[in-house]
Structure formats: structure tokens, C-alpha cells
Amino acid sequence: MCGKNLPMLSRRTLHSTVVSQGPIVQFKLSDIGEGIMEVTVKEWYVKEGDRVSQFDSICEVQSDKASVTITSRYDGIIRRLYYDTDATALVGKPLVDIETESSSEVIQEEDVVETPAIAREEHTHQEIKGHKTQATPAVRRLAMENNIKLSEVVGTGKDGRILKEDILNFLAKQTGAILPPTPFQEIQTPPPASAARPVGTLPAIKPPLATPRPVFTGKDVTEPLKGFHKAMVKTMTAALKIPHFGYCDEVDLSCLVALRDELKPLAESRGVKLSYMPFFIKAASIGLLNFPILNASVDEDCQNITYKASHNIGLAMDTSQGLLVPNVKNVQLLSVFQIAKELNRLQTLGSAGQLGAGDLSGGTFTLSNIGSIGGTYAKPVILPPEVAIGALGKIQVLPRFGPAGQVVPAHIMKVSWSADHRIIDGATMCRFSNLWREYLENPSKMILDLK
């Protein structure tokens, strides 16, 4: 009887020698550029025990510059996560341990592949049934959250790349849902004077805005500054060293309001939301051609000035992550419609918290659209190494005198400028503002003067 069991034991022993675990690789956070030494882990896309393939998203980290999606270089199983969500990860230190496939090639050099979240021209590949499916990490994450196989989705992007809209359309077909339009914030134009209430009537009582009730915890909470808030401390501390010169004016946007109302349906037919900001940005670019010192930068000791060839005009954006200032590159080469299209892209990424480092760096001049929230005048703070910034107030319908001395309703916007008084004098800022205002008050002239 014992003799009959011996062959069975031998076969089991032989089988155990065939199955072996692969090597465990420490997946390290490599240098993501711009001198960044630490990041905050914002979200894990995997957990211990999950199987991953090459180019699968591992986690999303946030530096003081941008959000970055970290992707895998190996096929294998996640054995350890080194950080919790919101913890600080150090460059060069392990992020996760991956038990790699015994048959897969293990490369010890450069353990991390990182891609900016929803990068403009970049994409990742996922091996599915013998072919590569192109999709950004955010698109793959959306598919994963909705249990959608990318191999079943038809990509409409370049070279068959799967876009976010492809996932949403696929999901809508499966569920029969009607997808809402993407939210978009813009300056709201007040109603025309003809819509004003008659004299002697009481205004309608508006219900109070719904605000979240404050929760009293009974104790103070102290937490370290991270990510964009930490970057704001550095930037504003450097800005305090700059002597600011302030200048304010008002602009009559009545003609621009009429032009925008005329062009808005045409832009929407092309899938672009047209706000007033593209006109403000383009007028600023034309002004910078005439006053290039406002599109310059100075070194730390203020001994040298660099005149920037590109007009990379930033837009201060209020997001859930704090104040971000992405910029539209090479505005001097773009039409108003092209600027509007690029702003749509930046605002979508900003709302999702996925602006890349390329969107947030390289700015040469900034406009702050504080009027979209409220207020008229402001005191904007220059973003070093830039030398000027403008803050735009809300548009109001106010009484003004017409050419014949009659009182007419006008769409008025206040603008507040700040300039580095070490290299920019008040007359230069004033002349630039006058030219900028002239183009906005006569938008047809802006179109004729495009170079």
C-alpha cells in the first residue's frame, strides 16, 4: 500500500518544482522633473493582491506643479503599497512592491513610467487580446469604474484612440441614459435694461443661496500644507519682494456683448463654448505686441530682463484644489475661436483636477477672472517671474451718457492691473490698458488688426 502511494508523492513533488513565484520588484518613484523631490499620493488605482499589466495605472500623485498618473512597467501582482492616500511620497523611494511574472523580463533601471494626467498628445497602451488599445490613464480609469472592457469600445480619436466621450457614449447605450452637458463657468451678462422692473414695484424676493451647514467638531485641526497650497506659499512669498504698481479703469463692453451674442451659436455648432475671456486674452496679446516689456521677466537680482517671444497668457482658475493658473500657449498665433477651444480644454481639466505640468508652466502674462465669482475691483498679485497681471470684474449694466448727451444703458466692466514697478512705469501700464480697452470697446478693430 505504501508502495502505491510513492508514485503519487513523486508526482506532487515534481509539480511543486514547476510552479514558482517571480521576483518581487520595488516600484520606485522616479524623478518627474522641475526639481520636484516629493509628491502627495492623491488616489490609488490598485490594492494589494491586484494583478496589473504594463501601462496599467497604479496611482495618481500631485506635486506643487501638477497631477501625474503613475503607470506600471511590469506584469505581475501588487504585494505592498508603501503609502496611504494623502501621504507624502519621496522621489527615489518605493511606491509599491510588484511580484513579477516569472516569464516576464525584469528591468531594474527606471522603475516608473509616469504620464501627465490626460496629457495633450500622450497616451498609454493596454494589451488586450493581442492588440494595443490606446487610451489615457483617466479614460482607462473611467472604464474600470464602470466595468467596461476597452476592447469592446470603438475609439474615435486619432489612430483609434479611445476618448472619454467614447466611454460615456458606450455607457449611455448600455444603460439608455441621457448624458448631461459638461458644466462650464463664464461671466454672466446682466439682463438688458428693458427687462428691469417697473418703477414703484417691489423686487421679487430671491431665495437664499444654499450653503453647507458648518460642522462644529469641538477641537482645532492642524495639517501640513501640501500640493498646490504649498506651491502658493512659495509663489506669494516671492511676490512680496516685488513693488506692485496698481492701476484701475472701466471698459464699456456693449459692442462686445452684441458681437459675442452673434457668434455664440456659431461656436456652439462647432462644439466650443464661447465666453468673453477669449476676447480679453486676444486683446491683451495685441497690446503686448506694442508693449513687450509687459511680456518679460527679470532675474532674481533684477539685473537682467528677458523679453518673451511667446504670449503664454495665464488664466487664474478657482478649483477644488485651490488657485491654479494654466496658460494658453502662443496666443499671438491663435484666433479668438482657437483660444476659446483651448480654454474649454483647460477648464475641463481644471474641474477634474488633472491639469498637467505643461499647462501650468511657462506663463508670461496673467488675467484673473474674479468677476465670474463676484466683485468689481481687486488688487491682483503678480506671479513671479512675470511682471504684470490683470483682474477682471463682473459685467454690470450701468447708466452712461451717449454721444448726444442722453443717458443710455451700458455693459461696464472694471479692470485692475498690477505691474512690477522696478521695470514698468505707470505711463506704460496706462497706455497698455488704454489700448486693451480700445480693442474691447471696438472688437471689429481687433479683428482687422490681427497680425
Side-chain angles (χ1 to χ4, degrees):
M1 187 171 183
C2 293
K4 293 181 180 180
N5 288 336
L6 283 175
M8 183 67 70
L9 179 60
S10 176
R11 284 193 296 270
R12 288 175 181 171
T13 304
L14 178 62
H15 179 70
S16 65
T17 59
V18 173
V19 178
S20 61
Q21 292 182 339
I24 294 180
V25 177
Q26 285 189 335
F27 191 100
K28 297 178 182 178
L29 176 64
S30 63
D31 185 7
I32 60 179
E34 302 203 22
I36 295 172
M37 300 305 297
E38 63 181 31
V39 296
T40 301
V41 179
K42 299 303 295 181
E43 184 176 1
W44 285 105
Y45 301 143
V46 297
K47 60 183 182 297
E48 293 181 1
D50 283 356
R51 179 175 293 276
V52 294
S53 301
Q54 294 184 44
F55 303 107
D56 279 356
S57 297
I58 297 293
C59 64
E60 182 177 336
V61 300
Q62 179 180 297
S63 69
D64 58 0
K65 300 291 185 181
S67 295
V68 177
T69 298
I70 305 299
T71 57
S72 175
R73 189 168 185 171
Y74 308 107
D75 298 331
I77 299 174
I78 301 295
R79 290 305 181 193
R80 179 183 176 185
L81 305 181
Y82 279 83
Y83 300 99
D84 296 327
T85 302
D86 290 331
T88 300
L90 302 178
V91 170
K93 300 297 182 181
L95 276 176
V96 297
D97 285 348
I98 300 180
E99 180 186 322
T100 58
E101 305 270 339
S102 58
S103 60
S104 64
E105 181 182 359
V106 178
I107 304 174
Q108 296 297 337
E109 300 293 334
E110 294 297 328
D111 294 328
V112 173
V113 174
E114 61 278 333
T115 57
I118 317 185
R120 193 172 186 182
E121 294 296 337
E122 298 178 6
H123 58 270
T124 60
H125 300 278
Q126 180 186 16
E127 295 285 348
I128 298 180
K129 298 182 179 179
H131 70 277
K132 289 183 177 180
T133 299
Q134 301 182 19
T136 64
V139 170
R140 298 191 59 255
R141 172 181 161 197
L142 179 62
M144 180 179 64
E145 290 175 348
N146 290 278
N147 296 319
I148 296 175
K149 295 182 179 179
L150 292 180
S151 58
E152 299 177 356
V153 181
V154 178
T156 60
K158 183 179 179 181
D159 298 327
R161 183 188 307 177
I162 298 177
L163 308 177
K164 177 181 176 181
E165 291 76 10
D166 298 328
I167 298 294
L168 295 178
N169 291 332
F170 181 87
L171 185 63
K173 291 179 181 178
Q174 298 295 318
T175 62
I178 299 177
L179 300 178
T182 302
F184 184 91
Q185 289 186 348
E186 63 179 55
I187 299 178
Q188 297 296 324
T189 306
S194 58
R197 60 185 176 85
V199 177
T201 62
L202 294 176
I205 299 177
K206 296 182 179 180
L209 296 176
T211 56
R213 293 177 61 86
V215 178
F216 180 67
T217 62
K219 60 180 180 180
D220 297 336
V221 177
T222 302
E223 60 183 19
L225 289 172
K226 299 178 180 179
F228 295 114
H229 289 99
K230 191 172 183 179
M232 185 184 296
V233 172
K234 296 179 181 178
T235 303
M236 293 299 100
T237 300
L240 286 176
K241 301 176 182 179
I242 300 174
H244 284 54
F245 166 80
Y247 177 81
C248 300
D249 201 357
E250 70 174 33
V251 186
D252 186 346
L253 299 178
S254 300
C255 292
L256 180 60
V257 169
L259 176 62
R260 184 251 186 177
D261 289 342
E262 181 180 350
L263 297 178
K264 186 177 179 182
L266 177 61
E268 289 179 347
S269 68
R270 300 181 182 180
V272 175
K273 194 81 171 183
L274 182 63
S275 66
Y276 294 105
M277 186 54 65
F279 297 95
F280 299 153
I281 290 176
K282 189 60 186 180
S285 177
I286 298 175
L288 293 176
L289 291 173
N290 292 271
F291 299 94
I293 194 171
L294 295 173
N295 195 58
S297 65
V298 292
D299 56 22
E300 188 174 353
D301 297 328
C302 204
Q303 298 298 313
N304 300 284
I305 182 170
T306 302
Y307 294 89
K308 303 292 186 178
S310 298
H311 296 173
N312 299 339
I313 299 182
L315 173 64
M317 188 179 297
D318 179 42
T319 71
S320 58
Q321 298 173 299
L323 176 66
L324 301 180
V325 189
N327 59 83
V328 180
K329 300 291 194 295
N330 295 311
V331 174
Q332 77 279 6
L333 303 178
L334 303 180
S335 67
V336 171
F337 178 79
Q338 290 172 322
I339 297 171
K341 187 175 181 180
E342 177 66 1
L343 283 179
N344 284 193
R345 184 187 72 86
L346 293 175
Q347 287 166 327
T348 299
L349 295 183
S351 298
Q354 295 183 334
L355 286 164
D359 298 320
L360 296 167
S361 59
T364 61
F365 186 88
T366 298
L367 293 176
S368 174
N369 185 16
I370 192 65
S372 62
I373 302 175
T376 51
Y377 290 108
K379 186 180 179 181
V381 180
I382 298 169
L383 300 176
E386 298 175 20
V387 295
I389 184 174
L392 312 176
K394 62 183 179 181
I395 300 177
Q396 300 172 287
V397 176
L398 299 174
R400 290 295 184 267
F401 289 104
Q406 76 280 20
V407 177
V408 296
H411 291 80
I412 302 298
M413 182 187 73
K414 314 292 185 182
V415 59
S416 305
W417 303 101
S418 290
D420 188 336
H421 214 358
R422 294 175 299 181
I423 62 170
I424 299 173
D425 55 52
T428 300
M429 190 74 253
C430 179
R431 292 188 180 99
F432 168 84
S433 181
N434 290 343
L435 183 60
W436 181 79
R437 182 188 64 198
E438 181 181 349
Y439 282 117
L440 294 177
E441 293 184 342
N442 303 278
S444 57
K445 186 176 186 297
M446 184 195 315
I447 298 175
L448 290 176
D449 286 355
L450 292 181
K451 298 179 180 179

